[in-house]
């Protein structure tokens, strides 16, 4: 069917047949895009700053009216061509005249310059397009996903690989997004299964950290809190377990491996302490002194101003027993001083 297009009343000069033809073809194929249609816009729409009397080209608004589409759609083609011209792929608008044919780049290249969605012009759309380019994918694909969260949710729910990709993306973003970080933390706390899983993973991470510290620093921390050099065989055992853990695939559960490594090294540390008489005595002394300090702090934090209000016989009895135990302890320490006088 042939459409009769009347000259625009706003045009100061008669409408060019070549411009009208481009407008008709653009209207039919506006949704498919491509370099050929970008050329129609580039050679028929006059650049900004150029008056109607200087060229047979028309404004983007007039071209859109002739094509039967929106000016915004025309301008997306216009801007795509402009970006490609800046990169030297196609001629600039000023070098083109209506009906002129030029050699066009490969069709696949068009997608890296043209974004079909109006959201791409927003700050959000620009950020999405830039991120897509950084990942080596077409901006149109990323924008399509961003505009259809329901489809994204369906893909995550149905496909494990999509879910893993989403998880990695969230982890990459969470460090720079405090709000998202807080939201995820709240979600985890409110979900019992997730909370238990996080606690389990945290415990595994702490145990792996214990093994890694021994393997890398060559030092052990005894149960009483002393830091001493690890025997060579103990450090080698830590390195062996760490190598096994680091060699696990990303999707393998490290919990069991971490527990085995941790339990093994804790046993070896205890055996190391027991095998060294001097270290064993120091360990016992350290543990004893630590217990005395904790008991002292506990009593220092007590206040007795309101003791009359919560007096109970069993509480007094417990304290009297404690008093006798403290007296016995002091007596034993004084006896030890007599038997082993300090220099």
């Amino acid at each position: 069917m042939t459409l009769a297009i009347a000259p625009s009343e706003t045009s100061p000069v008669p409408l060019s047949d070549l411009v009208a033809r481009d407008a008709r073809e653009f209207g039919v194929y506006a949704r498919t895009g491509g370099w050929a249609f970008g050329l129609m816009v580039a050679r028929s729409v006059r650049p900004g700053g150029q008056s109607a009397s200087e060229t047979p080209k028309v404004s983007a608004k007039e071209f859109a009216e002739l094509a039967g589409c929106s000016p915004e759609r025309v301008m997306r083609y216009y801007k795509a061509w402009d970006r490609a011209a800046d990169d030297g792929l196609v001629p600039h608008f000023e070098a083109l005249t209506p009906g002129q044919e030029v050699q066009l780049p490969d069709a696949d290249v068009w997608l890296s310059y043209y974004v079909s969605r109006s959201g791409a012009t927003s700050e959000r759309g620009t950020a999405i397009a830039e991120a897509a380019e950084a990942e080596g994918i077409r901006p149109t694909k990323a924008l399509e996903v961003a505009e259809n969260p329901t489809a994204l949710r369906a893909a995550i729910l149905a496909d494990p690989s999509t879910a893993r990709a989403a998880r990695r993306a969230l982890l990459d973003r969470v460090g720079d997004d405090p709000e998202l970080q807080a939201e995820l933390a709240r979600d985890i706390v409110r979900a019992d299964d997730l909370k238990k899983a996080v606690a389990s993973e945290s415990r595994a991470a702490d145990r792996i950290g214990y093994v890694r510290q021994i393997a890398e620093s060559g030092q052990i921390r005894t149960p009483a809190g002393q830091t001493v050099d690890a025997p060579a065989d103990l450090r080698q055992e830590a390195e062996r377990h760490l190598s096994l853990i680091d060699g696990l695939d990303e999707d393998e559960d490290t919990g069991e491996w971490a527990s085995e490594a941790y339990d093994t090294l804790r046993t070896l540390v205890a055996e190391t302490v027991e095998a060294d008489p001097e270290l064993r005595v120091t360990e016992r002394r350290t543990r004893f002194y630590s217990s005395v300090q904790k008991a002292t702090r506990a009593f220092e934090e007590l206040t007795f101003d309101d003791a009359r209000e919560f007096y109970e016989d069993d509480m007094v009895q417990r304290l009297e027993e404690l008093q006798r135990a403290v007296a016995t302890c002091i007596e034993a320490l004084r006896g030890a001083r007599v038997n082993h006088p300090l220099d």
Side-chain angles (χ1 to χ4, degrees), residues 206-237:
D206 288 342
R207 290 177 170 180
I208 293 172
Y210 176 82
V211 177
R212 189 178 302 279
Q213 189 274 331
I214 296 175
E216 294 180 354
S217 72
Q219 292 184 318
I220 57 174
R221 188 174 178 84
T222 68
Q226 298 184 83
T227 300
V228 297
D229 291 336
D233 57 342
L234 195 156
R235 184 175 184 178
Q236 289 173 0
E237 185 68 7

Side-chain angles (χ1 to χ4, degrees), residues 55-102:
T55 175
K57 297 181 180 182
V58 298
S59 68
K61 182 179 180 181
E62 289 178 277
F63 191 89
E65 290 173 352
L66 293 167
C69 66
S70 68
E72 290 77 16
R73 185 184 293 272
V74 174
M75 287 306 298
R76 287 200 290 275
Y77 279 81
Y78 184 97
K79 291 176 181 178
W81 187 277
D82 191 33
R83 287 190 287 268
D86 287 341
D87 288 347
L89 293 180
V90 293
H92 284 281
F93 300 105
E94 294 81 2
L96 296 171
T97 58
Q100 182 177 350
E101 297 291 342
V102 298

Side-chain angles (χ1 to χ4, degrees), residues 47-271:
Q50 195 173 48
S51 66
S53 59
E54 298 178 44
T55 175
K57 297 181 180 182
V58 298
S59 68
K61 182 179 180 181
E62 289 178 277
F63 191 89
E65 290 173 352
L66 293 167
C69 66
S70 68
E72 290 77 16
R73 185 184 293 272
V74 174
M75 287 306 298
R76 287 200 290 275
Y77 279 81
Y78 184 97
K79 291 176 181 178
W81 187 277
D82 191 33
R83 287 190 287 268
D86 287 341
D87 288 347
L89 293 180
V90 293
H92 284 281
F93 300 105
E94 294 81 2
L96 296 171
T97 58
Q100 182 177 350
E101 297 291 342
V102 298
Q103 185 174 357
L104 299 174
D106 293 339
D108 292 343
V109 182
W110 171 256
L111 294 173
S112 62
Y113 290 95
Y114 176 79
V115 180
S116 62
R117 288 169 170 75
S118 58
T121 60
S122 66
E123 182 178 349
R124 173 175 176 267
T126 300
I128 293 172
E130 290 176 353
E133 291 176 357
E135 294 290 335
I137 62 173
R138 297 197 301 268
T140 48
K141 289 291 185 182
L143 286 163
E144 182 179 356
V145 171
E147 291 180 10
N148 197 341
T150 303
L152 176 60
R153 171 183 166 81
I156 291 173
L157 290 174
D159 178 39
S161 63
T162 302
R164 284 192 289 270
R167 174 181 61 83
R168 287 192 293 268
L170 283 173
L171 290 176
D172 289 341
R173 179 182 177 85
V174 74
D176 299 324
D177 191 336
E179 185 176 348
L180 176 62
Q181 191 176 88
E183 290 174 355
L184 286 175
R186 285 193 293 269
D187 289 339
I188 291 171
V189 170
R190 292 168 183 166
D192 288 340
D193 290 343
L194 277 177
K195 188 162 57 176
K196 291 176 182 177
V198 169
S200 176
E201 289 297 324
S202 179
R203 184 167 54 254
D206 288 342
R207 290 177 170 180
I208 293 172
Y210 176 82
V211 177
R212 189 178 302 279
Q213 189 274 331
I214 296 175
E216 294 180 354
S217 72
Q219 292 184 318
I220 57 174
R221 188 174 178 84
T222 68
Q226 298 184 83
T227 300
V228 297
D229 291 336
D233 57 342
L234 195 156
R235 184 175 184 178
Q236 289 173 0
E237 185 68 7
E239 291 172 346
R240 185 181 71 82
H241 280 283
L242 185 61
S243 176
L244 291 172
I245 292 171
D246 288 343
L248 295 175
D249 293 335
E250 183 180 350
D251 57 349
E252 287 190 80
D253 183 13
T254 59
E256 184 177 348
W257 294 82
S259 295
E260 180 182 349
Y262 178 81
D263 292 342
T264 299
L265 291 180
R266 290 278 291 182
T267 299
L268 291 175
V269 168
E271 291 175 355

Side-chain angles (χ1 to χ4, degrees), residues 75 158 230 272 330:
M75 287 306 298
T272 298
I330 293 173

